[in-house]
Amino acid sequence: MAGDGSAATLESTLRDLVRTLEPGARLPSVREIVERHQVSPVTVGKVVARLSAAGVLVTRPGSGTFVAAPPARARARRPDTAWQSLVLAGRSVDLGALREAPRDPVPGTISLSGGYLHRSLQPLSALASAMSRAARRPDAWDRAPAGGLPALRSYFAEATAADVGLDDVLITTGGQNALAMAFRAIGAPGDAVLVESPTYPGALAALAAARLRAIPIPLGPDGIDPDDLRQAFARTGSQLLYCQPTFHNPTGIVLSESRRQAVLEVAHAARAFIVEDDYARHLSHDGGTTRSLLGHDVHGTVVQVTSLTKPAAPSLRVGAIVARGPVAERLQASRRVDDFFVSRPMQEAALELTSSPRWAGHLNGLKRALRDRHRILSDALRARLPEWEPVAGKGGGLYLWVRLPPNADPAEIVRRASEQGVDIESGQRFFPAEADGPFVRLSFAAAADSVALEEAVDRLAPIGAG
Ligand SMILES: Cc1ncc(COP(=O)(O)O)c(C=O)c1O
């Protein structure tokens, strides 16, 4: 083999080797593989972990790595499903930018990717108590109201700091479900939807699944420009804007206070809705948050989406949509048709968590932790990778959005980072159309601690401009 240190090449070599061996045969040791194929131990560890996860190898600590027995499923008779392709033709779900993510964690790799808190930042003990209190309630397994538990709807209504009540809130299974519901409720297939560029890939995937066309609006340091927005509404005839005005993913940008009112006025003049993704309300690094678009809205223009997965944990799949008027009725109806209501124990657990005194303590600690991690990662990049230029966010969120040198290829940088044992994300998938230059997104919340963040930058430093 070429001995080029590539995990992909080593993986295919090991797969070839496995094909020549019997189940249960022992693989060469890590040291032998390192010497024979001129790759680093990190690469070997990563490839072995990947092949173990795929059921090709089995690792027994202390004795070595062995060829796995073929899984029962592979031996079972598989039906001939070719006919399905014809029946389903033209109705595929376009995963779009979600296709790349999420990846399985590879042991030894430092993850700076993904949009959730590392376990070390999650309120695990408060979650455990909330879950067990919720499960002990005698009505825990009863039906829940279609809109959600009233007390939980109240919590979300209050958290908006806007003039809304619990009747305006619909409980969802997280933010992604809320976005998909909102896009389907507002848009008809073929409609144009204005989006910030770059933006959250999950929103692009939800738009594509609803057969809506994403039209990019450039994002400046103060957010989108109301004049650009006015022109885009006029040019496309769109009646929907999707945006993240507060600690935008991936850039961390905040739509300035002075532009918020203007954006609302422009949307109202176009008789357009705004889906405001307020995913980062609790992810401010200094405690300050600007009033949401919903807080300024007097026409029912804003449909706000929010979720507990970001400040708590990815599997606390509870979020909310706040909407007023016929769109709210449509959303309530679609909840009933889709799945009646959100699982009651999950709602009870979310309620227990958010009403416990530990919740405020957790949010405070989280702010400090995110601020420290943001600083540590920025400082380390400045010192060891000065050619990578973080775009200045506005003191919130989970990410550094980093501009690479002009000729860098983000896909190649991500591949090389992976070889060095660091998982990062290419910026390309955040753009609805052509990318505005080469970028990567680094999540400072995904790593275990500050030592891991510094170690990650040490590993990335040799990559430089690619
Ligand atoms: C901007 C934004 N909105 C919404 C979501 C959806 O989050 P969830 O469905 O986990 O609540 C995400 C998750 O990455 C996000 O980054």
Side-chain angles (χ1 to χ4, degrees), residues 116 174-176 179 200 244 249 277 279 307 309-310 317:
Y116 298 108
Q176 185 66 21
L179 287 177
Y200 164 53
Q244 306 165 54
N249 172 14
D277 188 341
Y279 84 104
S307 164
T309 59
K310 298 291 176 176
R317 298 214 62 73

Side-chain angles (χ1 to χ4, degrees), residues 28-36 44:
S29 69
V30 172
R31 191 186 308 158
E32 283 167 323
I33 298 176
V34 164
E35 278 166 15
R36 199 179 301 165
V44 178

Side-chain angles (χ1 to χ4, degrees), residues 114-116 173-179 199-203 242 244 247-249 277-280 305-310 313-314 316-319 398-399 441:
Y116 298 108
T173 53
Q176 185 66 21
N177 170 239
L179 287 177
T199 190
Y200 164 53
Y242 164 69
Q244 306 165 54
F247 310 131
H248 169 271
N249 172 14
D277 188 341
D278 203 25
Y279 84 104
V305 163
T306 171
S307 164
L308 290 176
T309 59
K310 298 291 176 176
L316 185 66
R317 298 214 62 73
V318 174
L398 308 173
Y399 319 104
R441 189 188 75 167

